[in-house]
Amino acid sequence: MLWQQDPEIADILDGEARRQADSLQLIAAENFTSLAVLAVLGSSLANKYAEGYPGARHHGGCEYVDAAERIAVDRATALFGAEHANVQPHSGSSAVLAAYAALLRPGDTVLAMGLDHGGHLTHGSPANFSGRWFDFVPYGVDAETGLIDYEQLAALARHHRPKAIVCGSISYPRHPDYALFRAVADEVGAYLIADAAHPIGLVAGGAAPNPVPYADVVCATTHKVLRGPRGGMLLCTAELAERVDRAVFPFTQGGAQMHTIAAKAVALGEASTPAFTAYAHRVVEHARVLAAALSAEGFALTTGGTDTHLITADPSPLGVEGRTARARLAAAGIVLDTCALPHGDGRGIRLGTAAVTTQGMGTPEMARIAALFTAALREEPEEAARVRAEVRKLTRSFPPYGR
């Protein structure tokens, strides 16, 4: 039907489906949803306007979307052991904005990981609302180990007395010490906000520590390892529930996207199964195997490895900088991102194993992928063509949605 009505857009959809199927999707923030999640995203719930919350909407006809949102909330609180959940944020950034709106006032001091050490734009970038509205003080990682410098964190907290401390990163491949963050926050009377956009799927599968018992508010996304629709989520204590809800609606957002919320419910249901637990642990296992293989190929791994789904590495020992490496890998059908290199020049590469694990790849494929990396980085046209053919052969053996 779409081909008949709008062939221009249909061609784009077809092209994107082929791109995803024919190349290695190693962007750490991406994954393949289930067909059930996709079905709900394209359902009649997309037509429903539902400002407000279940039982207190500004529009009529919300009995079914109310039920869907209640299911999503119940599944989120049960899965993560939270007292309250808000599943309306449109994105991870929207969730962080709401957390700040609930706890802070413009001009408040916030301690967060520095952007050049792996912090997110919402952790104080001057180009982002966070850097314009709040006074951010950055903490970082140790120059030798690449691990969070907790002594620096504590010293900065005591000196600046922040209103909130943000624990989270977009390119830190180790587990944060949530208990230590909580202790520092308590010492200086600060709120603790955990930005768990990346690890929350691993938390759901029991493959990463849970920030919920330690943080006042946990901000998360429902895509990435969690394998749901693109969107955000907030988990908090019962004491902060009303403030968090009002910070989402009506303060920072309007009508909830009910098709997305119902899709979140489906993904949260999937994440509560033994199959997802096994999947989350495979994601971590594959990341460790791939990290070790990349190290053996000559890449310099930040922190020396990974505890999570993501890997950050410096390709300069192979004679290329991060942006150049990304371009050459993309030309060979290997899709990933760049990232900042703390205490270094240039940029590194950032990749994750969630999507390829969803496709059914295993540890043998991780070693094969590492070998393709180094071959793709050689500036030889014949080699690039060979790697592209190898990538297609590999991905066609593991199609995202079956044969």
Side-chain angles (χ1 to χ4, degrees):
M1 183 176 63
L2 184 61
W3 277 108
Q4 294 176 347
Q5 180 174 327
D6 197 330
E8 189 174 11
I9 292 298
D11 187 57
I12 290 172
L13 295 182
D14 184 59
E16 174 60 14
R18 283 186 279 106
R19 185 199 68 79
Q20 291 182 20
D22 289 345
S23 52
L24 283 169
Q25 307 306 318
L26 292 171
I27 291 178
E30 292 185 354
N31 208 336
F32 296 107
T33 72
S34 69
L35 290 173
V37 168
L38 287 180
V40 176
L41 286 172
S43 71
S44 60
L45 295 182
N47 301 325
K48 190 70 195 86
Y49 208 172
E51 285 184 325
Y53 291 99
R57 305 286 190 184
H58 291 257
H59 304 278
C62 289
E63 55 269 25
Y64 291 108
V65 294
D66 279 3
E69 185 165 348
R70 288 190 179 104
I71 290 171
V73 168
D74 289 346
R75 290 178 179 177
T77 54
L79 184 59
F80 299 106
E83 294 176 350
H84 180 72
N86 187 303
V87 295
Q88 291 196 10
H90 300 328
S91 68
S93 293
S94 296
V96 174
L97 169 59
Y100 293 168
L103 304 179
L104 307 174
R105 293 294 179 268
D108 281 346
T109 298
V110 183
L111 194 59
M113 182 171 275
L115 303 186
D116 56 343
H117 285 220
H120 188 250
L121 290 173
T122 56
H123 301 171
S125 168
N128 183 262
F129 71 87
S130 57
R132 296 188 183 189
W133 293 352
F134 306 106
D135 178 21
F136 273 82
V137 176
Y139 62 85
V141 299
D142 180 80
E144 294 297 323
T145 65
L147 302 175
I148 293 172
D149 188 338
Y150 290 105
E151 290 186 4
Q152 180 202 45
L153 170 76
L156 288 170
R158 293 176 189 127
H159 178 75
H160 293 279
R161 314 296 294 189
K163 185 70 173 293
I165 298 174
V166 179
C167 171
S169 166
I170 59 170
S171 58
Y172 185 68
R174 302 294 183 175
H175 298 313
D177 187 336
Y178 294 117
L180 198 154
F181 269 95
R182 178 76 264 170
V184 172
D186 287 343
E187 181 183 344
V188 299
Y191 289 112
L192 180 60
I193 300 171
D195 187 347
H198 270 277
I200 199 67
L202 297 177
V203 174
N210 190 354
V212 168
Y214 302 97
D216 296 292
V217 178
V218 175
C219 310
T221 56
T222 49
H223 44 288
K224 301 185 176 71
V225 183
L226 195 58
R227 222 158 49 178
R230 299 196 63 81
M233 175 174 61
L234 288 157
L235 306 167
C236 68
T237 62
E239 180 183 2
L240 294 173
E242 184 177 357
R243 290 169 64 176
V244 166
D245 284 353
R246 291 183 65 81
V248 176
F249 177 85
F251 191 72
T252 62
Q253 289 187 182
Q257 297 179 356
M258 296 314 306
H259 58 308
T260 303
I261 288 174
K264 291 176 185 179
V266 172
L268 290 164
E270 293 171 348
S272 66
T273 64
F276 187 89
T277 297
Y279 162 76
H281 283 84
R282 285 198 305 273
V283 168
V284 175
E285 178 190 5
H286 294 167
R288 287 173 171 161
V289 170
L290 180 54
L294 288 173
S295 179
E297 293 285 345
F299 289 84
L301 303 181
T302 61
T303 77
T306 182
D307 294 328
T308 68
H309 65 297
L310 68 85
I311 302 162
T312 55
D314 181 0
S316 62
L318 284 77
V320 292
E321 189 262 349
R323 291 184 180 89
T324 302
R326 180 179 65 176
R328 291 184 188 174
L329 290 165
I334 302 171
V335 185
L336 45 69
D337 291 326
T338 63
C339 65
L341 289 173
H343 305 292
D345 297 324
R347 295 185 70 80
I349 57 171
R350 184 187 71 155
L351 57 146
T353 53
V356 291
T357 302
T358 296
Q359 289 176 260
M361 296 186 195
T363 53
E365 286 72 39
M366 299 305 110
R368 188 175 172 188
I369 289 170
L372 291 172
F373 266 56
T374 52
L377 293 185
R378 301 189 190 111
E379 204 168 6
E380 302 170 8
E382 297 84 0
E383 190 72 348
R386 183 190 70 79
V387 173
R388 189 73 183 93
E390 284 291 314
V391 167
R392 285 199 180 100
K393 183 179 178 181
L394 177 59
T395 55
R396 286 172 184 175
S397 298
F398 298 94
Y401 293 103
R403 299 182 188 279

